[in-house]
Amino acid sequence: RQLLENRTRTDEKELEYWTRSRELQHGMFHSSLKMTHGLMAKARAVLEAYEAVMAGKKLSPDMTKQLKAVSATLPRESVPQQKKQQPEKPTANTTQEQKKTMSKPTAASQLKKTL
């Protein structure tokens, strides 16, 4: 009889352990899912802004506000520091096509101007 009681107690403890383990695992899954969805939303906002700038549109004030919020949440190391870039100067060997691309502003520079 005592062996049966010990066995029942052990089974109950094991069931309690695995139940709690499942609850913790489920909570971690949901936390990970929320974080993934948040990161995807941020990436989508940046891509939408990039596509708008590439299409030649001006960013809406709402989109600008959203981009500033996204960039504020990034760690300092991942945000590129804005440096004054010297424009390339055409040389004697530069073709007309290369001169055209040198004078065109990049999408990144257009995006920075709107922020």
Side-chain angles (χ1 to χ4, degrees):
R1 175 164 168 82
Q2 193 176 19
L3 183 62
L4 186 61
E5 286 177 8
N6 284 342
R7 196 171 191 185
T8 304
R9 190 178 314 118
T10 303
D11 287 346
E12 287 173 352
K13 290 288 185 186
E14 188 175 352
L15 179 64
E16 183 183 317
Y17 170 81
W18 287 111
T19 304
R20 178 72 177 138
S21 174
R22 172 70 180 123
E23 289 172 1
L24 290 172
Q25 185 180 29
H26 190 66
M28 287 180 1
F29 168 76
H30 275 284
S31 297
S32 175
L33 190 65
K34 286 178 187 178
M35 189 169 53
T36 302
H37 280 276
L39 289 171
M40 287 190 309
K42 289 178 183 181
R44 184 177 55 239
V46 171
L47 285 174
E48 287 174 359
Y50 184 77
E51 288 171 357
V53 169
M54 289 301 291
K57 299 177 186 173
K58 185 161 174 60
L59 287 180
S60 67
D62 184 43
M63 181 64 76
T64 305
K65 186 177 178 183
Q66 190 177 10
L67 281 176
K68 285 184 180 180
V70 167
S71 66
T73 61
L74 294 174
R76 283 233 181 257
E77 294 82 33
S78 66
V79 177
Q81 300 298 320
Q82 294 182 2
K83 296 179 183 176
K84 294 281 184 180
Q85 293 181 349
Q86 297 295 328
E88 286 186 49
K89 294 181 182 175
T91 61
N93 297 333
T94 307
T95 65
Q96 289 296 328
E97 189 63 33
Q98 289 172 330
K99 288 179 183 178
K100 286 180 186 176
T101 58
M102 284 180 192
S103 64
K104 277 188 181 177
T106 63
S109 66
Q110 289 177 347
L111 188 59
K112 285 179 188 175
K113 287 178 185 176
T114 59
L115 295 177

